[in-house]
Amino acid sequence: MPTSPPTKRRGRPSSKQAAELTSSIISTALLMFLEQGYETTSMDAVAVACRVSKHTVYRRYPSKALLFQDALELHTQELVSELQTAVPRDADSIEAIRQAAKVALTFATSPSAIQMFRICIGAVTRFPEVGAQLASVEERILDFLEPHVRHAQDEGRIHPGPSRRIATHLYYALTGESWSHVLNGAAVPEEVLSDEAFEEAWVIAMRGFAVPA
């Protein structure tokens, strides 16, 4: 009597396959966090959406906070990539600050970024770790701005002082009006997001920070 060939056991996934699966879990979780919020999104639901077992998700992320951290990092990487593309390494120091601030403002007021910000604000009372992760996004923006501020200071084009603090004040001077609408839960008016409004804010800010030519 003929026998059936032995069933082959599935081997462990390769490093590439494991990395791809982790990437899929992160990107799926990001979409779910944006659509449902932090509290409503469950690890079990992420597993179902990815068509993997709960064990597969929990083995990579023992807590939802850790998964959210990587989802937020994926979201932030989009901003970092846009900053690196928009600002050449050899750019004029003042122009580099202007371009970086404009890219950061455009990204920060995009629908997905606003939703992520509101998710973090809404969850921070019950989940303090989410607030820390939100703060890390701003730190990434300042990490990009500060060297250009320091370069402009070295050239004598921006007043001396703590470059990190100056970068922070400059960032908020250029984005504060938009963020006030976001914090109030309102849509940011088109006139506030216009190029004309940015250039006006830029001129006003630089009058305070820049050394007169």
Side-chain angles (χ1 to χ4, degrees):
M1 181 175 180
T3 58
S4 301
T7 302
K8 292 184 178 180
R9 290 186 176 182
R10 295 182 63 184
R12 297 184 62 181
S14 66
S15 298
K16 181 181 178 181
Q17 290 171 326
E20 289 174 347
L21 179 54
T22 300
S23 178
S24 175
I25 291 172
I26 295 170
S27 58
T28 299
L30 174 59
L31 291 175
M32 294 180 71
F33 283 129
L34 288 172
E35 292 174 359
Q36 303 175 18
Y38 181 82
E39 190 167 357
T40 304
T41 300
S42 70
M43 299 283 277
D44 290 0
V46 172
V48 171
C50 293
R51 298 182 179 180
V52 298
S53 69
K54 291 185 289 185
H55 176 72
T56 298
V57 175
Y58 279 103
R59 189 171 67 247
R60 289 166 168 77
Y61 295 101
S63 72
K64 183 165 68 171
L66 292 174
L67 177 56
F68 183 78
Q69 180 178 331
D70 275 8
L72 185 59
E73 174 62 21
L74 175 63
H75 186 66
T76 306
Q77 278 297 329
E78 182 182 339
L79 168 61
V80 172
S81 177
E82 289 182 13
L83 285 170
Q84 293 172 339
T85 300
V87 185
R89 290 186 177 182
D90 58 349
D92 172 84
S93 59
I94 296 295
E95 180 60 20
I97 296 169
R98 191 183 76 83
Q99 285 293 337
K102 191 169 184 178
V103 169
L105 175 60
T106 300
F107 180 87
T109 52
S110 66
S112 62
I114 290 174
Q115 178 66 3
M116 182 62 77
F117 178 79
R118 288 175 175 162
I119 288 169
C120 292
I121 293 298
V124 71
T125 302
R126 293 190 59 192
F127 308 98
E129 65 274 10
V130 173
Q133 292 166 11
L134 176 62
S136 71
V137 177
E138 182 178 288
E139 291 301 310
R140 297 285 289 279
I141 296 172
L142 296 177
D143 286 345
F144 193 88
L145 280 175
E146 184 182 6
H148 296 296
V149 169
R150 193 161 51 243
H151 185 197
Q153 288 177 310
D154 292 342
E155 295 175 334
R157 302 172 70 186
I158 283 183
H159 289 295
S163 56
R164 187 71 168 198
R165 188 173 301 170
I166 290 175
T168 302
H169 287 310
L170 182 57
Y171 173 68
Y172 279 115
L174 295 170
T175 62
E177 185 177 6
S178 296
W179 278 118
S180 67
H181 290 283
V182 173
L183 287 170
N184 289 330
V188 183
E190 287 297 325
E191 58 268 23
V192 174
L193 296 176
S194 67
D195 290 342
E196 292 78 8
F198 177 85
E199 294 303 330
E200 179 182 319
W202 171 256
V203 170
I204 293 171
M206 293 309 291
R207 283 175 183 168
F209 291 111
V211 176

